[in-house]
Amino acid sequence: MNKRKILVPLGEKSYEVTIEAGILNNISEELLKIGITKNRKILVISNEEISNLYGKKFLNNLKDNKFQAKMFLIKAGESYKNLKTLSEIYDVAFEFGLDRNSIIIALGGGIVGDVSGFAAATWLRGIEYIQIPTTLLSMVDSSVGGKTGVNHPKGKNLIGAFNQPKAVFIDPETLKSLPKREFSAGMAEVIKYGVIRDKELFEYLEVEKNKNELINLKNEYLIKIINSSIKTKSHIVSQDEHENGVRAILNYGHSFGHVIENLCGYGKFLHGEAISIGMNIAGKIAIEKELWSKEELERQKNLLKSYDLPTEIPKINKEEVLTILMGDKKVRDGKMRFILPKEIGAVDIYDDVEDSLFLKFFS
């Protein structure tokens, strides 16, 4: 099956995720199908690397089909996911004359998607936007679910809004131009879905043949794991859009991952690499609390390493770890909440983890 469609059921805010190889080449046709009429203004937000690969053809496709389209490039890198970049987007939106009938399209990875979605949420108190993720990590994670925002010097994603896209279009062909390290980083989020809710996906990723085909970027295999991951996320988000309950399990490995990103300096580890280390820490805590077996911890560790992901914990000051964790969005009433595995395919939320239990893993 070449085309997959997944509904994210959120009442009036419901939308479809379409996965199809080559869909990027027919973007105007897809926009017309979802009711985006010709002559509307479209601001495409991307970065230089993605624009060099797809920008000219993408923009020409829109203009050739009578859309008023303009592209604005933001700088690549986590350090540019900030209020200054957001302000630059507002300036371009004003100059271009984006009105409430206009559309923002995010063409790129997670940083492009997060910043674009937040710009759309706040420009004229909210206009529609579309996600077109071009990295594996953004395909299976950040493009779906409506989390948008920018970083603050004190922490990651502290400024933002829940803003669901009008649609998500995923073209696995874009992964063929992705650096190997970026692809591996995306696999951390796929493995996460296997641990938290999808034992079958986890076992699929362990099979040597599947592993080889995925590493070789075979569309059939890519579409399968992207489809499985988004189905899991869609189901969870539909139950808890604003992360007041079960949606928190999607953050498995993320609390410690954000600590590592922050204290090691943004850029040393890619987001997925930091999450991989965070998952290993969460798995070790689960052993200490006798929630799952050493065999399951080893299976998780071996799977992460088999996709070239790091699991070793870097040297970080323990006091700084606590400071960052207490600023995490998952803290409730002064209590830190951790997502810990009970078995492959099942996790739960715990707020009874003593500081000494996890701090011993840091130097």
Side-chain angles (χ1 to χ4, degrees):
M1 186 176 177
N2 295 326
K3 193 171 193 173
R4 306 282 182 96
K5 281 186 175 288
I6 305 159
L7 178 69
V8 182
L10 289 167
E12 291 181 354
K13 292 183 282 184
S14 298
Y15 55 95
E16 278 191 331
V17 180
T18 305
I19 311 168
E20 183 181 19
I23 199 170
L24 210 61
N25 299 322
N26 304 306
I27 195 61
S28 291
E29 184 181 326
E30 297 297 329
L31 295 182
L32 292 169
K33 284 179 186 175
I34 61 170
I36 310 274
T37 53
K38 294 182 178 182
N39 294 315
R40 287 173 73 172
K41 287 187 176 179
I42 298 176
L43 177 61
V44 182
I45 300 174
S46 191
N47 61 39
E48 187 175 0
E49 184 179 359
I50 297 301
S51 176
N52 287 341
L53 291 167
Y54 314 110
K56 186 176 181 181
K57 189 174 180 181
F58 188 87
L59 209 58
N60 285 342
N61 183 277
L62 293 175
K63 290 178 178 178
D64 289 347
N65 286 276
K66 310 304 180 188
F67 291 107
Q68 297 182 61
K70 179 182 179 66
M71 182 172 284
F72 177 64
L73 306 183
I74 64 175
K75 291 179 180 176
E78 193 76 34
S79 60
Y80 295 103
K81 185 179 166 183
N82 55 31
L83 290 171
K84 183 176 183 295
T85 298
L86 192 67
S87 182
E88 290 171 356
I89 293 172
Y90 294 149
D91 289 343
V92 173
F94 180 80
E95 291 164 9
F96 187 40
L98 282 197
D99 58 31
R100 285 183 172 162
N101 197 40
S102 302
I103 301 278
I104 286 177
I105 292 180
L107 176 65
I111 293 168
V112 168
D114 284 2
V115 178
S116 301
F118 190 41
T122 48
W123 182 250
L124 302 178
R125 296 191 175 92
I127 64 173
E128 292 180 327
Y129 79 109
I130 289 166
Q131 290 270 20
I132 305 181
T134 59
T135 66
L136 181 60
L137 194 148
S138 59
M139 287 175 183
V140 300
D141 185 45
S142 57
S143 66
V144 178
K147 277 189 178 182
T148 69
V150 296
N151 298 332
H152 183 275
K154 298 295 184 184
K156 189 177 172 71
N157 294 324
L158 291 181
I159 307 164
F162 286 97
N163 182 29
Q164 301 298 337
K166 184 175 179 62
V168 181
F169 299 110
I170 294 175
D171 187 345
E173 286 289 324
T174 62
L175 299 180
K176 291 176 171 55
S177 58
L178 200 66
K180 188 176 183 296
R181 186 181 173 195
E182 290 274 3
F183 178 80
S184 292
M187 284 304 303
E189 293 284 0
V190 178
I191 293 168
K192 175 198 77 176
Y193 288 113
V195 177
I196 68 170
R197 272 288 175 95
D198 194 340
K199 184 179 179 182
E200 184 180 330
L201 173 60
F202 190 96
E203 292 171 346
Y204 180 85
L205 296 172
E206 288 181 306
V207 175
E208 200 64 32
K209 181 183 186 299
N210 299 338
K211 199 177 300 181
N212 291 334
E213 298 290 14
L214 286 167
I215 290 170
N216 289 322
L217 304 178
K218 294 293 180 67
N219 282 337
E220 177 189 346
Y221 293 81
L222 291 170
I223 288 172
K224 177 178 173 56
I225 65 165
I226 294 167
N227 185 67
S228 295
S229 299
I230 292 174
K231 275 188 173 179
T232 296
K233 183 159 192 180
S234 171
H235 179 69
I236 293 169
V237 168
S238 69
Q239 297 175 69
D240 177 24
E241 182 184 357
H242 295 117
E243 201 174 300
N244 294 313
V246 69
R247 182 169 177 169
I249 71 171
L250 291 169
N251 294 311
Y252 177 58
H254 284 58
S255 291
F256 292 114
H258 291 167
V259 167
I260 289 162
E261 283 183 287
N262 190 307
L263 296 182
C264 291
Y266 289 119
K268 179 169 182 179
F269 291 101
L270 296 178
H271 178 66
E273 292 171 339
I275 299 315
S276 174
I277 298 169
M279 288 167 64
N280 190 38
I281 297 171
K284 287 175 179 287
I285 296 171
I287 290 290
E288 296 288 328
K289 290 181 69 65
E290 299 181 344
L291 297 175
W292 72 343
S293 68
K294 288 183 179 179
E295 180 190 2
E296 287 168 309
L297 175 63
E298 281 303 304
R299 282 180 69 191
Q300 175 185 264
K301 186 175 180 179
N302 289 338
L303 188 57
L304 290 166
K305 290 175 76 172
S306 73
Y307 286 95
D308 295 324
L309 286 160
T311 56
E312 295 303 312
I313 304 163
K315 291 183 179 181
I316 294 174
N317 183 286
K318 293 183 179 184
E319 290 182 7
E320 290 183 304
V321 169
L322 272 178
T323 301
I324 299 297
L325 282 174
M326 286 307 296
D328 192 279
K329 300 180 297 300
K330 291 173 283 300
V331 170
R332 292 287 187 276
D333 299 322
K335 282 189 173 183
M336 287 181 282
R337 300 189 304 163
F338 297 106
I339 318 305
L340 303 177
K342 300 188 293 183
E343 60 180 334
I344 301 293
V347 296
D348 212 338
I349 305 168
Y350 297 85
D351 63 4
D352 60 348
V353 180
E354 296 179 0
D355 296 355
S356 59
L357 189 57
F358 61 81
L359 285 178
K360 72 180 191 177
F361 299 119
F362 297 92
S363 49

